Amino acid sequence: RKKATTPESAAIEKLQEKYEAIDVSTINSFDDLPLSPKTLKGLKECGYTKPTDIQRETIKLGLTGKDILGAAQTGSGKTLAFLIPILERLYCKQWTRLDGLGALVITPTRELAYQIFEELRRVGEHHEFSAGLIIGGKDLKFERNRMDQCNIVIGTPGRILQHMDENPLFDCVNMEILVLDEADRCLDMGFEQTMNAIVANLPAKRQTLLFSATQTKSVRDLARLSLKNPAYVSVHEHSE
Ligand code: ADP
Ligand code: MG
């Protein structure tokens, strides 16, 4: 499958300049970011008005297409820190269902995958992208039928690798954005080899966002393998 549409590169370049010019210190609300009306509407309907610190720092960098190594504790809002760049980047590239998989999110547990999926459905409600969830073992047949229509796939490492190996409809050739969510937990759970195998199967020309609550040696090793010239963002919780 080939990408069906090519956005006008001049328009993309203009957006790029706009993203690079964002002064993070002046961002108080999501409305201060040059996000699409579809995303802003979704955020508003979910009741999100003000980005958290990790969101403020990483959304700008994510929009510009940079690789990011982001560290911030649990509960700091890392999910939107990667979902917003995914939605905006696919949208500005005029990604359609026919373009197949554009973004892949890997997270350690089914429960987290489901939460991310639900958040994407809510915040991304006004976008036309289709999202898929790869967890558990029972619905493989169902997933096989529609996997080639999924633009954003969220799943756990073992199941994603299984699809890569066994499912011809799970086609990563056009994939643009990889998110490694809760990377420290993935590694603690023994997924290092699986994650490395997934990363090795993906196009080298991609954007990778790696999020972790802690920065251990194994996280740095994974970062070395998966990220290119990343921006480091580390946010410490302020006391309320
Ligand atoms: P993390 O992945 O860092 O542990 P989550 O992305 O799961 O954190 O977010 C934690 C909680 O904070 C969620 O309930 C989410 O709805 C809420 N949240 C995230 N971003 C915002 C925001 N900008 N404004 C208000 N609440 C937010
Ligand atoms: Mg999280």
Side-chain angles (χ1 to χ4, degrees):
R1 254 173 293 124
K2 281 216 120 180
K3 249 192 89 27
T5 48
T6 2
E8 288 185 31
S9 58
I12 296 269
E13 245 164 63
K14 223 169 166 184
L15 259 179
Q16 199 69 20
E17 283 169 21
K18 204 153 124 187
Y19 295 148
E20 269 154 25
I22 298 171
D23 177 357
V24 171
S25 67
T26 65
I27 304 295
N28 287 313
S29 84
F30 284 114
D31 288 326
D32 296 331
L33 286 161
L35 303 176
S36 65
K38 287 173 193 267
T39 296
L40 288 174
K41 196 168 170 205
L43 288 167
K44 199 157 286 167
E45 285 168 2
C46 290
Y48 298 130
T49 51
K50 199 175 171 286
T52 65
D53 289 344
I54 187 76
Q55 289 163 6
R56 216 187 309 271
E57 298 296 329
T58 53
I59 288 171
K60 169 194 171 155
L61 292 163
L63 291 174
T64 62
K66 262 199 93 61
D67 281 8
I68 301 173
L69 176 50
Q73 67 186 63
T74 302
S76 53
K78 295 189 289 295
T79 310
L80 285 182
F82 59 77
L83 287 183
I84 293 174
I86 287 176
L87 287 170
E88 290 303 287
R89 284 188 57 79
L90 294 183
Y91 182 66
C92 85
K93 284 168 195 256
Q94 297 172 7
W95 206 268
T96 72
R97 289 201 180 204
L98 300 176
D99 296 319
L101 184 67
L104 177 63
V105 178
I106 301 173
T107 195
T109 67
R110 294 173 180 209
E111 191 185 40
L112 285 167
Y114 192 73
Q115 281 170 18
I116 295 166
F117 182 74
E118 285 295 299
E119 186 81 321
L120 174 63
R121 286 234 286 225
R122 290 177 344 115
V123 171
E125 199 199 324
H126 302 287
H127 286 280
E128 271 103 67
F129 308 124
S130 63
L133 192 59
I134 303 189
I135 53 172
K138 283 185 182 153
D139 292 323
L140 194 61
K141 192 155 169 275
F142 174 65
E143 286 170 3
R144 269 180 209 275
N145 290 334
R146 54 195 296 251
M147 192 55 76
D148 59 338
Q149 292 167 18
C150 284
N151 303 128
I152 303 168
V153 163
I154 299 153
T156 48
R159 292 279 289 142
I160 287 175
L161 187 60
Q162 191 188 356
H163 273 273
M164 277 180 158
D165 288 343
E166 297 171 8
N167 183 352
L169 293 184
F170 188 74
D171 182 353
C172 299
V173 75
N174 287 333
M175 199 216 62
E176 302 249 349
I177 308 173
L178 170 67
V179 174
L180 304 173
D181 181 43
E182 313 265 354
D184 48 352
R185 245 179 108 188
C186 281
L187 295 166
D188 287 347
M189 289 170 70
F191 286 128
E192 180 170 3
Q193 281 194 338
T194 308
M195 310 259 286
N196 290 341
I198 293 169
V199 168
N201 273 323
L202 295 174
K205 193 178 165 293
R206 62 164 196 268
Q207 179 182 20
T208 307
L209 313 178
L210 187 156
F211 287 95
S212 178
T214 55
Q215 298 228 32
T216 58
K217 183 184 176 295
S218 51
V219 169
R220 287 195 299 273
D221 288 344
L222 177 65
R224 234 191 324 275
L225 277 176
S226 58
L227 299 167
K228 266 198 210 109
N229 190 22
Y232 295 87
V233 179
S234 180
V235 166
H236 302 281
E237 192 99 332
H238 306 293
S239 48
E240 293 288 307

